[in-house]
Amino acid sequence: MAHRYNFKEQEPKWQRYWDEHNTYASTRDESKPKYYVLEMLPYPSGKIHMGHVRNYTIGDVVARYFKAKGFNVLHPMGWDSFGLPAENAAIERGAHPADWTKQNIADMKEQLKTVGFSYDWSREIATHAPDYYRHEQKMLLEFYKKGLLYRKESMVNWDPVENTVLANEQVIDGKGWRTGATVEKRKISQWFLNITRYADDLLQEVKKLDKWPEKVRLMQENWIGKSHGAETSFKLSNAEEVPIYTTRPDTLFGISFIGLSPNHPIAEKLAETDEGLRAFIKECQQKGTSVVDLETGEKKGYRLNLTATHPLLEGIEVPVFVANFVLMEYGTGAIFACPAHDERDFEFAQKYNLPITQVVKGDKDWDGQEAYTEDGHMINSGFLNGLNTAEAKEVMMQKLEETHTGKRTTQFKLRDWGVSRQRYWGCPVPMVHCEACGVVPVPEDQLPVMLPQDVTFDKAGNPLDRHPTWKHTTCPSCGGEAVRDTDTLDTFFESSWYFLRYCSPNSEQAFDIDDIN
């Protein structure tokens, strides 16, 4: 026991030595092999926990190992310091988010240093610092010039407690991931990044990630979700047309009903004069929209006083429902349902006593107790009879094109990234709104657009909306009166590029490409 390691003596001694001698500071040194050890930057909640210790110990072992082998190691650390928890803490404690965040960073930095991690603290960043977020404001201006940033009205997940938009991934079982409040669907104007422009590029790059676990790589491919199918239109009995995208054109002969999303324009229009439909849509908007929610939740519908005519079969009309499992964000916001060969359609058809017609036959007889979703050959399908599933898809798409009733098309599950949030503690969107000029970008030489410090949290909603002076400004284009955009960025924007900033944390540019290389 006399020779037991004395933590209280040895650890502070060597930590002081490391600080005084900049032992873990990294500089560009092209004479050595390079190695970048990156751990996710933490949210400054005030205290580190065992999850931090576990993850950061793993990184620290790797960093020390490669440094001992003679590598030029970059091992930085910083703070993902914007976000709702700071704002909520300010509301609860009567503090300012900036003060709460600053104190938490100081406390957590001291804790991390006490553990003895080998970080290069000279590269420390905090995403709430104006010197950090001015660069992402410039990025937004560049994206806007390139048509990659745009604004549109869209349905969003709305947390009624946090009074802000949530991403689909932040809705768990229909409730906000932090508050547990039932999430509602609302239509508001949002800023989006046009990431779908790169869907094919992303898909090709994912295939090259040979060192990734196959399970994770497949998850990414499914997330992007490229599918080939056909788009066709069904004429409604009120003379309107409903375009529908399907990956199963081979099953068009098995149609049982048409399903519209609760947010489909036709549904919204009819709801203006239909109180029952209005109530049904409201109920749907209070449910989750994740894949799990849609697959496991009870399938419900509201039957409209409409029928739809089959695009190829004269005299065939089917009922039209607004259905809670149809997403406006995928395809056209409408489906044709073939219950015999789709699980959700099957469950819905059983519930509402709708026809279930088998059009694909496998090796064994179908018992009709659940949807048959495997490949097979076509039956009850007119000119498709006898073809296998792949052949039937091709022949049906040819038929739709020949008769000018449809066309081949490709869809992605991937959606553009909604980056707007309606709260204070985030990076301000550098745009102004002018009655004469519309949306006008803030000139680059006026960046950063900084958050006002004198805000109050005594009312629900975004403090920037009700600030007496901050949002009032002049239009950079015409010089007239204008108002600043009061949205702030989703904090995932900050954590999507921080690893580049570590490479050149003091650069006047967001990052120096030579340093990165």
Side-chain angles (χ1 to χ4, degrees):
M1 295 298 290
H3 300 292
R4 188 173 179 177
Y5 180 68
N6 190 323
F7 288 90
K8 290 185 177 180
E9 279 186 14
Q10 296 299 322
E11 293 294 323
K13 169 188 171 183
W14 288 107
Q15 288 164 18
R16 279 194 304 273
Y17 179 91
W18 297 337
D19 280 346
E20 291 167 3
H21 292 79
N22 296 317
T23 303
Y24 299 111
S26 50
T27 58
R28 281 176 61 174
D29 184 351
E30 297 176 24
S31 67
K32 294 181 178 181
K34 59 200 174 186
Y35 206 89
Y36 188 172
V37 180
L38 178 73
E39 295 111 68
M40 177 65 78
L41 76 179
Y43 183 80
S45 58
K47 293 181 179 178
I48 66 171
H49 51 68
M50 288 309 296
H52 292 119
V53 175
R54 178 186 182 276
N55 283 350
Y56 297 163
T57 297
I58 293 169
D60 197 57
V61 168
V62 174
R64 289 176 179 275
Y65 171 77
F66 279 95
K67 187 174 180 65
K69 290 192 69 176
F71 281 72
N72 185 27
V73 174
L74 174 60
H75 190 207
M77 184 47 67
W79 310 98
D80 193 9
S81 47
F82 266 144
L84 277 171
E87 192 166 333
N88 290 338
I91 294 169
E92 294 169 9
R93 297 169 174 78
H96 194 284
D99 297 334
W100 186 83
T101 300
K102 182 179 179 181
Q103 184 58 55
N104 285 353
I105 287 174
D107 293 344
M108 290 180 70
K109 184 175 180 180
E110 183 59 33
Q111 289 175 317
L112 289 175
K113 281 193 164 188
T114 300
V115 179
F117 293 129
S118 60
Y119 293 129
D120 178 359
W121 286 107
S122 69
R123 295 174 182 268
E124 179 184 10
I125 60 172
T127 62
H128 77 283
D131 187 52
Y132 184 87
Y133 69 72
R134 74 181 174 98
H135 294 297
E136 59 191 40
Q137 288 179 340
K138 184 181 176 184
M139 290 179 206
L140 284 180
L141 298 183
E142 293 297 323
F143 290 151
Y144 189 72
K145 290 177 190 174
K146 300 288 187 181
L148 294 171
L149 176 72
Y150 66 93
R151 196 167 186 258
K152 73 170 182 178
E153 197 173 60
S154 67
M155 295 300 301
V156 297
N157 301 310
W158 184 265
D159 188 313
V161 174
E162 291 190 330
N163 285 288
T164 191
V165 169
L166 299 180
N168 286 340
E169 297 73 40
Q170 295 169 320
V171 181
I172 311 298
D173 296 328
K175 301 182 186 300
W177 67 331
R178 292 190 187 278
T179 65
T182 299
V183 171
E184 304 167 3
K185 298 295 280 188
R186 287 193 185 182
K187 184 176 282 189
I188 64 173
S189 289
Q190 288 269 94
W191 286 101
F192 289 85
L193 283 176
N194 190 1
I195 61 174
T196 52
R197 184 184 294 185
Y198 301 97
D200 256 327
D201 294 332
L202 288 168
L203 197 57
Q204 294 309 311
E205 293 303 314
V206 167
K207 295 180 187 300
K208 299 176 185 177
L209 299 175
D210 58 325
K211 295 181 181 178
W212 283 34
E214 183 65 10
K215 178 177 68 173
V216 176
R217 210 177 51 74
L218 286 174
M219 286 171 63
Q220 294 293 319
E221 288 187 7
N222 293 335
W223 179 259
I224 297 166
K226 186 176 185 178
S227 63
H228 301 285
E231 189 173 299
T232 186
S233 289
F234 288 77
K235 291 183 179 179
L236 303 183
S237 52
N238 66 354
E240 292 193 70
E241 287 199 8
V242 179
I244 285 175
Y245 169 75
T246 176
T247 59
R248 294 297 308 271
D250 53 307
T251 62
L252 268 167
F253 283 89
I255 187 171
S256 177
F257 65 93
I258 294 294
L260 302 179
S261 164
N263 307 124
H264 195 284
I266 291 176
E268 292 181 338
K269 181 180 178 182
L270 293 173
E272 294 173 3
T273 55
D274 186 331
E275 187 176 341
L277 177 57
R278 205 158 51 240
F280 178 74
I281 291 174
K282 184 176 181 181
E283 178 188 340
C284 293
Q285 291 176 344
Q286 293 176 335
K287 300 295 182 182
T289 58
S290 70
V291 173
V292 174
D293 291 330
L294 295 177
E295 288 181 350
T296 61
E298 181 185 1
K299 310 303 181 290
K300 292 184 178 181
Y302 185 93
R303 187 163 183 166
L304 302 176
N305 189 26
L306 292 173
T307 58
T309 302
H310 198 288
L312 293 177
L313 302 178
E314 289 187 19
I316 300 297
E317 293 187 348
V318 295
V320 181
F321 287 80
V322 175
N324 68 346
F325 64 92
V326 182
L327 280 177
M328 192 65 216
E329 294 80 12
Y330 182 67
T332 63
I335 64 164
F336 90 84
C338 179
H341 307 293
D342 181 274
E343 292 170 353
R344 289 181 293 187
D345 296 351
F346 183 86
E347 184 180 335
F348 190 92
Q350 281 197 317
K351 182 181 180 71
Y352 293 100
N353 197 28
L354 298 168
I356 299 176
T357 303
Q358 182 184 13
V359 293
V360 181
K361 181 175 175 56
D363 295 333
K364 297 180 180 179
D365 288 338
W366 180 55
D367 61 9
Q369 298 304 303
E370 59 184 11
Y372 176 75
T373 58
E374 304 299 321
D375 289 343
H377 63 271
M378 309 307 297
I379 60 174
N380 301 320
S381 296
F383 59 85
L384 298 180
N385 282 343
L387 299 176
N388 65 39
T389 304
E391 293 169 338
K393 288 180 181 179
E394 178 61 28
V395 171
M396 180 58 82
M397 286 193 284
Q398 288 176 3
K399 186 72 170 179
L400 291 170
E401 290 177 333
E402 289 170 4
T403 57
H404 305 290
T405 54
K407 61 181 180 179
R408 302 166 193 268
T409 188
T410 299
Q411 292 276 354
F412 292 89
K413 287 183 181 177
L414 184 69
R415 287 290 162 266
D416 282 345
W417 180 10
V419 293
S420 292
R421 296 296 181 265
Q422 294 67 44
R423 295 299 292 263
Y424 165 74
W425 193 236
C427 170
V429 174
M431 301 286 178
V432 301
H433 300 267
C434 172
E435 283 193 14
C437 306
V439 177
V440 182
V442 172
E444 189 178 323
D445 61 6
Q446 293 181 22
L447 300 182
V449 176
M450 294 177 62
L451 289 169
Q453 292 297 304
D454 54 336
V455 290
T456 58
F457 299 93
D458 54 343
K459 297 177 183 176
N462 185 353
L464 296 177
D465 269 335
R466 58 179 182 269
H467 193 280
T469 59
W470 180 84
K471 68 178 183 178
H472 299 289
T473 186
T474 56
C475 174
S477 179
C478 71
E481 292 184 0
V483 294
R484 296 190 186 281
D485 199 303
T486 56
D487 279 358
T488 53
L489 288 182
D490 172 10
T491 55
F492 285 111
F493 196 102
E494 278 89 55
S495 56
S496 68
W497 72 279
Y498 72 100
F499 60 96
L500 301 174
R501 185 63 179 169
Y502 282 144
C503 296
S504 40
N506 301 310
S507 174
E508 280 302 303
Q509 305 301 316
F511 40 81
D512 184 299
I513 195 67
D514 288 335
D515 286 342
I516 288 171
N517 289 340

